[in-house]
């Protein structure tokens, strides 16, 4: 059964409960957003969240208050959490970011092989947040996208799909960015913003939600109160699980192998996606004669590839990569990510909203993970900003449902699309393979369909938040 068939409709009440139940959870997050050692207990309360005081940090640091209050507390300080905080600040709203990672890790300099495809709409949002000028010198424009179907060891199929940025006008598809440039710019901007308090090394111990607000209790004894808590803590979100929000979850028998290579010939800003039987193999251009590779492989072979040395790894790369960019060599680290699908049944609860991978995590086949997280952040910032201007309670369920109605249908659609595409293009039956190739070629010959797909890749659509529109 595919994701579209499994999707269910949920009916919601928007009235506030007199004495809502809240779950307390204790967990530790690993570097990849995983969750361990969960203990959940249920309590009920009708008391308001405790008011903050001016006590100092239990460790004795006078510049680290023990308690804080803001318009929103954001759990998770990665790219999406920090961009949400910046979006809220543009609307005059304060926030406290609680990130388990210390800055020594999250802002570590140096290229590590990872990169992001930043679509046109996300680039507009980053410009709105004031961080694009710091990023632009490091951004590689994606000028063309070539999509083809094939098998390892065979010549490239003559039937392929070509997206030319010139058809979209001056703004194009978007850009490729190295992870460390993007992360450093966004996190530094959030740290410098007066309306944002950024607590790094701040692991969440438990989150309480009551009728008057949410309180985040940290492992070091500090706490934050706010009308709303926002979960930006990844696909295995402890906050989501703690709130009792279920999800559709599917583990693929695939692993994403991510690395960067330097190549002999220029890429000319062209992104390539080869659909191979184990999964897509993407070559995404970076500044200079370098590219990020996102290589989807069956779990069994991927596990074996983890153990080989760089020479063997490059040899396997070249079997799939070919020689059209000349000699290649590895740059940075090699990364391995198990692939899965995750879609939360609800994006909001009383005093809580899910954003980014905490709400939905998809197969990387379309390269849209970060872009959908940015779209969540922009939509929630706009929803809360508008509510504040009307004098509404930011954590009211009726307010948060507006965000959910805006973002969840789009998330269901992209989850179904990426799941379906992965199933279709990972099928190696001969008739299906030839039908795919002819379908790709035919699709590319129909101008309106081709341009609609290009606008999708750029994230340029009518229902965007105002900060993402042209």
């Amino acid at each position: 059964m595919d994701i579209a068939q499994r999707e269910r409709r949920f009916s919601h009440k928007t009235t506030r409960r007199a004495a809502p139940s809240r779950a307390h959870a204790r967990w530790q997050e690993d570097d990849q957003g995983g969750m361990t050692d969960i203990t959940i207990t249920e309590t009920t309360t009708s008391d308001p969240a405790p008011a903050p005081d001016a006590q100092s940090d239990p460790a004795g640091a006078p510049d680290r208050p023990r308690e804080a209050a803001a318009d929103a507390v954001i759990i998770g300080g990665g790219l999406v959490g920090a961009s949400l905080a910046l979006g809220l600040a543009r609307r005059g709203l304060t926030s406290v970011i609680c990130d388990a990672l210390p800055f020594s890790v999250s802002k570590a300099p140096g290229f590590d092989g990872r990169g992001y495809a930043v679509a046109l709409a996300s680039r507009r949002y980053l410009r709105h947040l004031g961080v694009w000028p710091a990023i632009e010198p490091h951004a590689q424009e994606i000028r063309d996208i070539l999509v083809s179907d094939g098998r390892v060891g065979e010549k490239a199929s003559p039937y392929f799909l070509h997206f030319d940025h010139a058809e979209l006008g001056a703004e194009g598809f978007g850009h490729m960015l190295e992870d460390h440039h993007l992360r450093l710019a966004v996190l530094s901007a959030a740290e410098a913003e007066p309306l944002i308090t950024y607590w790094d090394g701040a692991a969440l111990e438990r989150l309480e939600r009551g009728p008057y607000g949410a309180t985040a209790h940290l492992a070091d004894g500090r706490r934050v109160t706010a009308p709303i808590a926002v979960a930006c803590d990844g696909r295995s979100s402890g906050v989501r699980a703690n709130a009792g929000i279920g999800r559709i979850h599917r583990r693929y028998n695939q692993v994403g192998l991510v690395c960067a290579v330097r190549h002999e010939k220029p890429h000319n800003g062209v992104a390539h996606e080869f659909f191979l039987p184990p999964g897509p193999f993407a070559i995404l251009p970076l500044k200079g004669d370098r590219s990020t590779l996102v290589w989807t492989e069956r779990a069994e072979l991927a596990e074996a590839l983890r153990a080989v040395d760089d020479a063997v790894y490059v040899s396997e790369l070249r079997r799939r990569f070919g020689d059209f960019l000349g000699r290649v060599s590895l740059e940075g680290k090699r990364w391995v990510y198990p692939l899965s699908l995750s879609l939360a049944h609800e994006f909001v609860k009383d005093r809580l909203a899910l954003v980014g991978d905490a709400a939905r995590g998809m197969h990387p086949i379309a390269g849209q993970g970060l872009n959908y997280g940015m779209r969540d952040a922009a939509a929630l910032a706009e929803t809360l900003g508008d509510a504040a201007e009307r004098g509404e309670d930011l954590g009211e369920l009726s307010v948060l449902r507006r965000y959910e109605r805006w973002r969840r249908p789009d998330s269901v659609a992209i989850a179904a699309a990426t799941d379906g595409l992965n199933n279709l293009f990972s099928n190696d039956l001969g008739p299906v393979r030839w039908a795919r190739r002819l379908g790709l070629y035919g699709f590319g010959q129909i101008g309106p369909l081709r341009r609609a797909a290009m606008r999708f890749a750029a994230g340029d659509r009518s229902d965007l938040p105002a900060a993402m529109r042209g």
Side-chain angles (χ1 to χ4, degrees):
M1 183 179 295
D2 63 26
I3 183 70
Q5 293 171 314
R6 295 169 64 187
E7 169 57 10
R8 304 197 300 267
R9 293 183 179 272
F10 292 85
S11 60
H12 305 293
K13 295 182 180 179
T14 58
T15 55
R16 181 188 293 177
R17 296 188 297 271
S21 172
R22 70 190 185 209
H24 296 178
R26 185 181 301 267
W27 66 83
Q28 296 176 334
E29 287 194 306
D30 61 28
D31 290 346
Q32 305 302 324
M35 186 173 64
T36 60
D37 302 333
I38 305 174
T39 304
I40 298 178
T41 60
E42 294 286 340
T43 66
T44 60
T45 183
S46 58
D47 297 329
D53 58 33
Q55 298 179 37
S56 62
D57 181 88
D63 60 337
R64 297 185 68 184
R66 182 174 180 177
E67 301 195 6
D71 294 311
V73 55
I74 299 171
I75 310 302
L79 290 171
V80 173
S83 66
L84 169 62
L86 287 167
L88 292 173
R90 293 298 179 273
R91 299 299 298 266
L93 298 176
T94 60
S95 62
V96 176
I97 299 174
C98 302
D99 190 21
L101 289 178
F103 280 143
S104 61
V105 175
S106 60
K107 294 174 67 176
F111 180 53
D112 65 7
R114 293 178 294 176
Y116 290 106
V118 177
L120 167 62
S122 297
R123 187 186 75 203
R124 290 172 180 162
Y125 185 52
L126 291 169
R127 190 179 297 279
H128 168 75
L129 300 181
V131 300
W132 184 252
I135 297 170
E136 189 170 16
H138 309 290
Q140 168 62 51
E141 182 185 8
I142 300 174
R143 301 182 61 81
D144 294 87
I145 301 175
L146 297 178
V147 183
S148 60
D149 183 81
R151 304 171 80 186
V152 176
E154 290 185 356
K155 291 183 178 180
S157 169
Y159 303 107
F160 60 89
L161 178 60
H162 178 207
F163 293 151
D164 184 345
H165 78 291
E167 288 194 77
L168 290 179
E171 290 192 294
F173 295 112
H175 292 74
M176 278 298 300
L177 273 161
E178 297 170 22
D179 171 83
H180 73 113
H181 289 309
L182 181 58
R183 188 174 299 276
L184 184 62
V186 173
L187 270 58
S188 296
E191 188 183 12
E193 168 57 56
L195 296 181
I196 299 173
T197 300
Y198 201 127
W199 286 351
D200 69 312
L204 182 67
E205 183 176 78
R206 70 182 188 275
L207 179 68
E208 297 177 354
R209 294 181 294 113
Y212 302 100
T215 302
H217 295 263
L218 306 183
D220 62 9
R222 289 178 291 171
R223 63 180 179 178
V224 186
T225 60
I228 178 177
V230 184
C232 299
D233 55 340
R235 198 170 303 202
S236 299
S237 171
V239 175
R240 178 195 56 76
N242 179 33
I245 300 176
R247 61 173 174 163
I248 296 169
H249 185 226
R250 174 184 296 173
R251 294 186 184 277
Y252 298 112
N253 186 34
Q254 295 171 312
V255 170
L257 304 169
V258 179
C259 65
V261 296
R262 181 171 292 278
H263 33 78
E264 183 180 14
K265 300 178 182 178
H267 49 56
N268 297 316
V270 179
H272 299 264
E273 183 150 33
F274 301 108
F275 287 114
L276 303 174
F281 184 91
I283 304 172
L284 307 170
L286 297 173
K287 275 285 190 180
D289 295 332
R290 299 177 303 143
S291 296
T292 284
L293 307 185
V294 182
W295 170 8
T296 303
E297 190 53 79
R298 293 190 180 92
E300 301 80 16
L301 179 56
E303 188 63 32
L305 287 168
R306 294 182 68 170
V308 303
D309 61 24
D310 286 354
V312 174
Y313 194 86
V314 170
S315 176
E316 285 296 320
L317 275 180
R318 288 186 63 85
R319 293 183 63 219
R320 295 154 179 81
F321 198 111
D323 59 1
F324 72 101
L325 289 176
R327 293 188 299 272
V328 298
S329 59
L330 284 174
E331 283 213 345
K333 299 178 182 178
R334 292 155 40 184
W335 300 86
V336 179
Y337 299 100
L339 301 183
S340 65
L341 169 74
S342 176
L343 178 65
H345 291 160
E346 300 171 274
F347 281 14
V348 299
K349 282 274 197 180
D350 290 305
R351 306 288 170 189
L352 176 66
L354 309 183
V355 167
D357 282 356
R360 144 264 308 117
M362 67 190 80
H363 195 284
I365 194 168
Q368 292 294 321
L370 175 65
N371 295 307
Y372 269 67
M374 290 282 188
R375 204 174 299 174
D376 292 344
L380 184 58
E382 183 171 324
T383 300
L384 297 181
D386 290 348
E389 290 177 359
R390 289 190 289 264
E392 297 177 290
D393 182 344
L394 301 186
E396 275 277 10
L397 196 55
S398 59
V399 171
L400 300 181
R401 288 283 184 230
R402 298 170 200 158
Y403 162 72
E404 182 178 59
R405 287 192 295 269
W406 194 352
R407 294 300 305 134
R408 193 168 186 279
D410 187 27
S411 297
V412 171
I414 190 64
T418 54
D419 187 63
L421 284 172
N422 183 53
N423 290 334
L424 173 64
F425 283 94
S426 298
N427 190 320
D428 197 32
L429 289 176
V432 176
R433 188 169 64 251
W434 278 104
R436 282 197 308 258
R437 295 177 181 184
L438 292 173
L440 280 175
Y441 179 77
F443 186 91
Q445 303 309 302
I446 304 172
L449 285 178
R450 183 180 66 251
R451 286 186 287 274
M454 292 166 65
R455 286 192 294 272
F456 169 81
D460 197 12
R461 44 192 290 177
S462 60
D463 64 344
L464 288 174
M468 289 184 148
R469 297 177 200 153

